[in-house]
Amino acid sequence: MALGPPCAIVSGTETGGFVGRAVELVVLEAALADACAAQPRVVLIQGAAGMGKSALLRRFLGCLEGVRVLFASGDETETSLVYGVVGQLLGGLPGPLPGPLASLGGQGPTADPLTVGAALVELLGVLQDEGPVVVVLDDAHWADTASLQALLFALRRLRVDRVLALFAAREEALGALPPSLHRLVATEVGATISLGPLPPPDVARLAASAGAGDLPAAALERLAAHTGGNPLHVRALLAELPRAALLADELPAPRSYAALVLSRLAACPPEAEALVVAAAVLGLRCPLGVAARVGGVDDPLAAAEAAAAAGLVEPTVGLTAAEIAFTHPLVRAAVYGDLALTRRAALHARAAEVVDDPGAALRHRVAATAAEDPALAAEAADHARREAGRGAWAAAAEGFLPAARLSPGRGDRERHLIEAVDCLILGGEFGRAVALAEEFAAFAHQARRGYGLGRLALFAGREAEAAPLLSAAWESCDHQSEPELAARIAGTLAMVYVRDAQVVTAAEWARRALESDPGASATGLARIILAMCLTVMGREAEAMAAVVHLPEDPGGVGPAEADALVGRGVARLWSDELEGARTDLALAVSACRGRGPFLIGLVALFYLADAEYRLGRWDDAVIHAEVAASQADDAEDAISRPVTHAVATFALAARGDWERAESHAEAASAAASALRDPTSTLWAAIAGGRFGAAQGDHARAAAALEPMVGLVRARPDIDEPTVQPWRELYADALLRLGRLEEAEGVLAPLEARAAERGRHSSLAGAARVRGMLEATRGREHAARAAFEAGLCHAAQVAMPFERARLEDAYGRFLRRAGARRRAREQLASAQQAYLTLGARPYLERLERELAACGLTPARRSAAHHLQLTPQELAVARLVAAGKTNREVAAELVVSAKTVGYHLGNVYAKLGVSSRTQLAAHFAAAGALSPQGVED
């Protein structure tokens, strides 16, 4: 298959014009060898413009055999073309493509980048069955954001796949690349190639290949110094100047790359020139017939042949139509950039009449219009609202932005820009949204200005700036004439105050948002915040009333009801209705999948993981928590990173997966330190506390949780027992460090608040620590009473790990009190729970206690939790539930090949050889039923 467009127009043949870069080629060959051995690799090639990145790629790709290459290149004029790069990567692939990818060529992209990324994982898994796959993205700094997010989402999920990904970007534009790419390249799967200047010996070889002959050493040194060793500039001068001029003491400046392209274009016959210009208006690739109609070309085949001979385009003839594609995006950029504004507008207007896609036609009409046009602005905005209505947030944003430009009235311009930014946020494109802050600073309307700047400050992690801006916006807003703006302001203020742990104030703002305009986009999160705040305030009945329109069994709800589902799910989670919480949150995740809104789906996902952790469904909790953390990282969502990484720590730490758990705990801590708000501090403290407790490092746990003491003095609303058990964890750590009075001071308020709220889970946890504390003080009767009360509370809520820890502590107390038989019962029950959960560090410590009792119950086959890695266990459980490899891959967002690799390891470790035997093994072990998020 074609390897993609050749490099820029230069003198010399493709092989003869390439010199040097031997070390770089070795690095690429080694990366490919690793990929062929099912060790995926990602390489970033960076260098200044013209330094030979594309030439290096072309040379490397030109030597490949038996490898499928997916090629794409960014385009400076198409950075806003949603999934433009993904579309290039898919060009020429036989169908059918996975659903979200197949729809990219339809009436505008609807799927979010994470859904498209999951489909790319599936596609790469299929393609590599035929041989290794090399994914190439040249000029990555000009790639559209959605494509980069989707591609990186896919690459991070490759484990044992025969895939090599190559990114090339200008050194001066590395900041335009997403941080997630830099992080990926910095891992063990990545490598960076930095292209520096060509040394004089390589310049000599380049000159010889260009026909300049053997230049003197002094001339070569001058040429290398004058051009900075830049191959593009060297080639340009070699093409421009005769040999005698190259020997002169002073060399002229090289012409721009555009001049090279335009000179070739000017030499083409008129019809070829017209065809190339029309194609530039249509994009990097277009149907030949459409380009001919736009350019008024009578003989398109002859024109395409002439343009191809000039090295400007490459014509192809497919099964359905002939197409032309530019040989390099810079060629298209040079042609398009040289067009006079009047000719460019006329061609766009003609394209609007010719193209079939109404959305594309509208985009061409917008591009053809330089002056204000209220009718066209209204049409673009209406189209954007339809796109938003079907969850195509990126496409909606791309509609609102030109609507703002075309609107004659300042008020309309400002409203459309607000709508654009809100769509970017709803679609999870926080970086692009925050980049528009300067636009809001110029707003004349005070309320809109304050709302825009305040909302962007919040999502940029600058919450201290957000509150005064939004408060001023609320005061200046006309609530009667602009109810939607009022709802947006109030909803965002609710987010600010809930993160600042001012629960009562947050609830008030959430109510104002819902009362101002219940249908506004900002009120979805407001409904969730209201339910959360009311629950924390002990007003569960009111929390449930906020979502009263939901049916008791909301199996058929869609994205419109997702916010209410999340609100009810979190309220149930914090009220100890754990199974109901899990059901609501799983349905909300499914409802938001592929359609968003992003934040509501993300909130549902990490609270689902928290519910699953409490329920002892740790395999599911690990899967969903790590997906949530990855999504927050991918979207550059600063305010969600602390909680997502914290929740990802819980089960991993309890199972002794130290490296992964610590990585998440540190990420939560770093993100919280950057934000410094109470909510982020709580989650980071919990992550550190759980990690320290699991390791038995009580000093570390205490140090992580200590900041909470001062925080709850300033923000007492955050001290709700069932939100997160920081007091239980901290009192436990202090007790084990011998700081008994401090432990008492931390524990007593927990017991009082939990009793007031009637929270059985918190009372059970508090009773465990109380029993240990009283036992340490020598108060045997009080200790026994505390443990027995704890068991009564634990029987009221399904939290197997917390019950096991209670039984563990009680059994140890009973053994030391001489009640060995009862101690064995408690310890054996705890051991079985730890074994079933896979809580390895807790199990190992318990078995030492059991040995002291003279009792070491034989492990049941449920010990597969201790034999398998978390990835293997996740695959095994889903396969045991009857899912195919492809279904498991979709659930875990990995390739089918990765699933097959892990499944092979599972079979070997468990001594089974079929899916049936695997399912029987799980059934015999009494393991939790494999179940993830419902489809």
Side-chain angles (χ1 to χ4, degrees):
M1 62 176 295
L3 299 181
C7 193
I9 302 169
V10 295
S11 299
T13 64
E14 182 166 314
T15 55
F18 182 87
V19 299
R21 309 304 190 195
V23 173
E24 290 83 356
L25 286 169
V26 169
V27 173
L28 291 176
E29 289 163 1
L32 179 60
D34 288 341
C36 290
Q39 300 176 51
R41 292 290 180 260
V42 179
V43 179
L44 173 62
I45 303 170
Q46 60 189 43
M51 199 57 74
K53 301 178 294 296
S54 298
L56 176 64
L57 284 173
R58 188 173 71 254
R59 176 59 176 264
F60 174 66
L61 297 175
C63 299
L64 301 184
E65 294 182 1
V67 174
R68 181 183 289 274
V69 178
L70 306 183
F71 188 96
S73 185
D75 185 342
E76 188 175 16
T77 65
E78 294 185 356
T79 55
S80 63
L81 182 59
V82 181
Y83 299 124
V85 160
V86 171
Q88 290 183 59
L89 292 174
L90 303 179
L93 288 179
L97 297 174
L101 302 182
S103 66
L104 293 185
Q107 299 298 311
T110 62
D112 61 84
L114 307 183
T115 300
V116 174
L120 285 173
V121 173
E122 179 182 352
L123 176 64
L124 290 172
V126 172
L127 293 178
Q128 64 184 284
D129 288 339
E130 302 174 1
V133 179
V134 177
V135 180
V136 182
L137 177 51
D138 199 4
D139 287 329
H141 50 283
W142 285 334
D144 63 281
T145 302
S147 288
L148 277 174
Q149 288 180 333
L151 184 55
L152 290 169
F153 183 87
L155 294 176
R156 274 194 299 276
R157 280 149 185 83
L158 302 182
R159 297 292 183 270
V160 289
D161 300 86
R162 295 192 294 170
V163 177
L164 168 63
L166 305 177
F167 293 82
R170 290 185 178 180
E171 197 170 66
E172 61 270 25
L174 291 176
L177 299 177
S180 51
L181 174 57
H182 294 294
R183 289 194 295 268
L184 181 60
V185 170
T187 67
E188 67 277 5
V189 305
T192 299
I193 294 176
S194 297
L195 295 185
L198 289 178
D202 285 341
V203 173
R205 286 192 286 271
L206 196 58
S209 70
D214 295 327
L215 295 175
L220 289 172
E221 290 177 3
R222 280 197 303 272
L223 181 58
H226 183 67
T227 60
N230 185 301
L232 181 64
H233 296 165
V234 172
R235 289 186 175 102
L237 284 179
L238 292 171
E240 288 179 33
L241 304 177
R243 189 175 188 279
L246 293 170
L247 300 176
D249 289 337
E250 293 186 7
L251 297 172
R255 293 197 304 261
S256 68
Y257 181 76
L260 282 171
V261 173
L262 296 174
S263 66
R264 295 289 183 91
L265 180 63
C268 289
E271 283 215 329
E273 189 270 350
L275 182 71
V276 171
V277 168
V281 169
L282 293 167
L284 279 172
R285 177 184 297 272
C286 63
L288 178 58
V290 173
R293 292 169 63 190
V294 172
V297 176
D298 295 328
D299 190 349
L301 286 176
E305 187 175 282
L312 300 173
V313 299
E314 288 181 337
T316 60
V317 179
L319 294 176
T320 58
E323 290 188 334
I324 55 171
F326 283 94
T327 54
H328 192 280
L330 288 178
V331 178
R332 187 251 175 183
V335 175
Y336 187 81
D338 188 59
L339 287 174
L341 293 179
T342 52
R343 188 180 184 191
R344 182 184 300 178
L347 288 168
H348 275 297
R350 176 60 178 155
E353 299 172 356
V354 170
V355 297
D356 294 329
D357 180 5
L362 178 60
R363 288 194 295 273
H364 282 298
R365 289 169 56 207
V366 167
T369 307
E372 297 169 347
D373 187 329
L376 185 57
E379 187 177 348
D382 288 343
H383 177 74
R385 292 188 187 101
R386 289 193 296 272
E387 294 292 285
R390 62 194 188 97
W393 304 109
E398 296 306 332
F400 283 125
L401 289 171
R405 175 177 63 82
L406 295 170
S407 296
R410 190 164 190 169
D412 287 335
R413 289 199 299 273
E414 294 178 356
R415 278 188 288 270
H416 292 326
L417 189 59
I418 283 176
E419 290 176 300
V421 167
D422 278 353
C423 285
L424 290 173
I425 291 172
L426 289 166
E429 296 192 60
F430 297 90
R432 287 186 65 197
V434 171
L436 292 169
E438 290 186 7
E439 300 286 344
F440 286 98
F443 276 18
H445 191 284
Q446 186 175 351
R448 287 193 287 268
R449 179 180 181 276
Y451 167 71
L453 292 176
R455 188 163 173 81
L456 293 182
L458 170 64
F459 286 107
R462 303 191 308 273
E463 296 177 13
E465 297 178 26
L469 287 166
L470 292 162
S471 297
W474 176 261
E475 293 300 323
S476 61
C477 178
D478 186 335
H479 304 164
Q480 298 300 317
S481 63
E482 295 186 288
E484 184 174 2
L485 178 59
R488 293 174 191 263
I489 297 170
T492 309
L493 274 166
M495 292 182 65
V496 171
Y497 284 112
V498 79
R499 295 192 60 77
D500 197 38
Q502 298 187 52
V503 172
V504 174
T505 305
E508 291 173 354
W509 283 110
R511 284 193 189 279
R512 289 173 185 171
L514 293 166
E515 291 167 356
S516 297
D517 188 350
S521 59
T523 58
L525 282 169
R527 187 171 284 105
I528 296 172
I529 291 169
L530 180 59
M532 292 168 64
C533 292
L534 291 172
T535 305
V536 168
M537 294 158 66
R539 294 154 59 181
E540 296 92 333
E542 290 182 57
M544 292 301 177
V547 292
V548 70
H549 65 283
L550 278 176
E552 186 64 26
D553 181 18
V557 301
E561 293 83 22
D563 56 350
L565 273 174
V566 176
R568 189 171 74 180
V570 177
R572 285 175 161 173
L573 176 67
W574 293 347
S575 302
D576 287 343
E577 296 181 42
L578 300 185
E579 284 292 354
R582 193 198 68 82
T583 299
D584 281 347
L585 294 165
L587 287 168
V589 169
S590 294
C592 291
R593 184 181 291 138
R595 291 177 58 86
F598 172 83
L599 266 179
I600 290 177
L602 184 60
V603 171
L605 192 58
F606 63 67
Y607 277 121
L608 171 63
D610 192 10
E612 289 165 338
Y613 171 77
R614 300 185 194 205
L615 284 164
R617 302 171 64 96
W618 286 3
D619 302 326
D620 298 328
V622 169
I623 294 168
H624 299 137
E626 291 206 311
V627 170
S630 174
Q631 289 185 358
D633 290 343
D634 289 345
E636 301 179 54
D637 180 3
I639 62 176
S640 297
R641 293 191 73 234
V643 57
T644 57
H645 283 285
V647 175
T649 306
F650 296 173
L652 291 170
R655 281 186 164 166
D657 191 341
W658 304 127
E659 184 176 351
R660 290 167 69 196
E662 188 164 30
S663 173
H664 285 296
E666 289 177 350
S669 178
S673 297
L675 294 173
R676 300 180 181 276
D677 65 90
T679 298
S680 299
T681 300
L682 167 65
W683 286 101
I686 287 290
R690 288 196 190 277
F691 185 83
Q695 284 199 316
D697 186 343
H698 308 301
R700 177 171 181 163
L705 292 157
E706 185 177 7
M708 291 302 301
V709 176
L711 179 59
V712 296
R713 292 197 192 104
R715 290 287 184 268
D717 287 349
I718 205 170
D719 201 15
E720 180 64 17
T722 50
V723 173
Q724 285 299 326
W726 76 269
R727 284 187 179 274
E728 175 193 335
L729 289 168
Y730 191 36
D732 187 331
L734 292 171
L735 167 62
R736 294 173 190 268
L737 292 171
R739 297 157 62 180
L740 304 190
E741 293 308 313
E742 292 177 74
E744 175 68 43
V746 172
L747 182 60
L750 167 61
E751 294 170 316
R753 177 64 70 91
E756 177 188 346
R757 296 281 195 261
R759 306 296 193 218
H760 292 293
S761 61
S762 299
L763 288 167
R768 177 181 65 84
V769 182
R770 172 59 66 187
M772 294 165 60
L773 180 59
E774 297 299 344
T776 303
R777 288 169 167 168
R779 302 171 184 173
E780 182 176 319
H781 179 74
R784 189 184 299 267
F787 284 127
E788 289 291 344
L791 289 175
C792 291
H793 288 298
Q796 305 301 311
V797 59
M799 296 181 67
F801 179 57
E802 303 307 329
R803 182 185 179 96
R805 294 200 69 197
L806 177 60
E807 293 169 336
D808 186 347
Y810 192 19
R812 293 169 189 264
F813 164 78
L814 290 170
R815 186 181 76 81
R816 287 161 178 74
R820 295 178 67 85
R821 180 179 176 182
R822 185 73 195 283
R824 290 172 181 171
E825 293 174 357
Q826 295 296 317
L827 293 173
S829 179
Q831 184 205 35
Q832 185 57 55
Y834 289 155
L835 189 60
T836 301
L837 292 165
R840 179 175 57 81
Y842 293 90
L843 180 63
E844 291 172 351
R845 290 194 287 267
L846 175 60
E847 286 180 337
R848 292 193 288 271
E849 185 73 15
L850 284 168
C853 285
L855 178 66
T856 307
R859 296 188 183 184
R860 297 173 57 194
S861 59
H864 64 246
H865 288 288
L866 307 180
Q867 300 174 37
L868 306 180
T869 68
Q871 298 92 334
E872 290 166 352
L873 185 56
V875 167
R877 292 178 69 254
L878 293 173
V879 169
K883 295 193 175 186
T884 66
N885 283 17
R886 180 161 291 188
E887 290 170 337
V888 174
E891 178 79 18
L892 303 182
V893 199
V894 297
S895 70
K897 191 170 185 68
T898 296
V899 171
Y901 172 81
H902 287 318
L903 190 56
N905 289 341
V906 168
Y907 284 176
K909 289 182 178 182
L910 300 185
V912 300
S913 59
S914 70
R915 293 170 181 265
T916 302
Q917 291 179 6
L918 181 64
H921 179 91
F922 269 78
L928 298 175
S929 61
Q931 187 175 359
V933 178
E934 288 81 348
D935 292 327

